[in-house]
């Protein structure tokens, strides 16, 4: 499932993040890349233990925890501490697939990357190029979102970032381990949840409301691994 989530952050939060990110020192993005992706990766990142990365990462994770669309679509078990990248002056990231397992820095925890996310801090008007191109089951999608918006896509997808030929593209990226690892099962639950919410809004007295809510929870019980 490919899902765009609007306004994950407020414009004030975006402005605050931009200030911290602009003042931070950036390093070569290859520091967090695996062997194959290091060959394709040409961008900059903020070091994982940088105070700005920690502060903004916590702000993002907190916002996600209150975002109904993210919670319904991702059914998150663990969220990797968000990372931050910047592309400018022709930088790009060639076709790759994200590593399946990631070690959470300074901890013994590992997460399985089920869902990849990119949260935009710069608006499409600020740079040329820089589209995130995702090869999904249903074809190739090119994504470039307003600042504060986020795209979710299955970590199983091949993807790349096109060269940024004007301005700079600043984003956060991170992974989520879902309680439901299978993208198809997660998509069904997401669609079912959306339908149930519509019935709850329009016909809360209808017997199907409680019946379908039961089906939803029983499917989660069947498919979720904690
Ligand atoms: Ni990637």
């Amino acid at each position: 499932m490919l899902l765009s989530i609007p306004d994950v952050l407020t414009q004030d939060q975006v402005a605050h993040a931009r200030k911290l990110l602009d003042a931070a020192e950036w390093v070569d993005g290859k520091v967090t890349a695996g062997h194959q992706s290091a060959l394709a990766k040409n961008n900059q990142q903020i070091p994982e233990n940088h105070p700005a990365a920690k502060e903004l990462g916590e702000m993002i994770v907190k916002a996600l925890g209150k975002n109904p669309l993210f919670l319904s679509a991702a059914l998150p078990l663990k969220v990797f501490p968000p990372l931050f990248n910047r592309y400018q002056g022709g930088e790009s990231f060639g076709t790759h697939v994200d590593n399946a397992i990631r070690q959470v820095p300074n901890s013994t925890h590992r997460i399985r990357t089920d869902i990849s996310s990119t949260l935009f801090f710069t608006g499409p008007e600020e740079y040329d190029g820089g589209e995130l191109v995702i090869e999904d089951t249903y074809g190739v999608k090119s994504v470039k979102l307003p600042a504060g918006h986020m795209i979710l896509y299955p970590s199983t997808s091949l993807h790349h970032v096109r060269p940024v030929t004007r301005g700079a593209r600043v984003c956060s990226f991170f992974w989520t381990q879902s309680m439901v690892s299978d993208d198809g099962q997660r998509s069904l639950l997401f669609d079912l949840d959306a339908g149930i919410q519509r019935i709850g809004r329009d016909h809360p007295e209808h017997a199907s409301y409680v019946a379908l809510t039961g089906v939803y929870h029983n499917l989660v019980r069947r498919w979720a691994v904690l």
Side-chain angles (χ1 to χ4, degrees):
M1 180 208 326
L2 211 72
L3 180 70
S4 157
I5 303 184
D7 302 315
V8 169
L9 298 179
T10 65
Q11 288 311 303
D12 283 350
Q13 287 175 313
V14 169
H16 175 64
R18 286 289 293 277
K19 214 177 284 174
L20 291 187
L21 293 171
D22 286 348
E25 59 274 19
W26 293 75
V27 300
D28 191 327
K30 289 189 186 13
V31 286
T32 56
H35 184 70
Q36 187 279 328
S37 56
L39 300 174
K41 192 172 187 182
N42 179 22
N43 67 1
Q44 302 153 57
Q45 278 178 213
I46 289 187
E48 286 166 309
N49 55 1
H50 193 289
K54 281 193 179 158
E55 180 188 330
L56 297 176
E58 280 165 21
M59 179 179 85
I60 293 168
V61 171
K62 202 167 158 196
L64 293 175
K66 292 187 294 192
N67 189 297
L69 209 48
F70 174 77
L71 296 173
S72 176
L75 296 168
L77 179 63
K78 299 183 215 168
V79 177
F80 190 88
L83 298 166
F84 299 85
N85 63 14
R86 181 169 72 187
Y87 296 79
Q88 57 189 14
E91 288 174 327
S92 65
F93 196 163
T95 302
H96 66 281
V97 69
D98 294 343
N99 287 358
I101 307 290
R102 298 208 74 110
Q103 180 83 39
V104 178
N106 308 314
S107 82
T108 54
H109 299 294
R110 288 180 297 175
I111 79 159
R112 184 189 60 236
T113 59
D114 296 321
I115 301 163
S116 298
S117 302
T118 297
L119 169 59
F120 290 76
F121 285 108
T122 37
E125 68 289 351
E126 296 179 68
Y127 58 97
D128 290 333
E131 296 85 357
L132 171 64
V133 181
I134 301 161
E135 298 179 28
D136 191 33
T137 338
Y138 300 108
V140 177
K141 300 265 170 53
S142 175
V143 180
K144 191 166 170 174
L145 298 179
H149 295 212
M150 183 171 94
I151 181 85
L152 294 188
Y153 57 100
S155 299
T156 47
S157 320
L158 285 173
H159 55 278
H160 65 272
V161 177
R162 301 196 57 234
V164 172
T165 54
R166 176 186 64 89
R169 172 198 194 266
V170 179
C171 290
S172 174
F173 65 105
F174 56 90
W175 301 274
T176 301
Q177 178 172 338
S178 177
M179 292 184 283
V180 177
S181 65
D182 183 81
D183 184 61
Q185 291 177 336
R186 240 180 6 252
S187 298
L188 284 173
L189 289 170
F190 179 64
D191 291 343
L192 180 57
D193 188 29
I196 291 169
Q197 286 186 37
R198 259 195 309 275
I199 296 178
R201 200 174 51 230
D202 300 342
H203 303 284
E205 71 297 337
H206 201 287
S208 297
Y209 185 33
V210 66
L212 290 172
T213 301
V215 171
Y216 177 83
H217 284 285
N218 290 332
L219 284 173
V220 172
R221 232 185 296 281
R222 183 171 284 225
W223 290 338
V225 178
L226 306 184

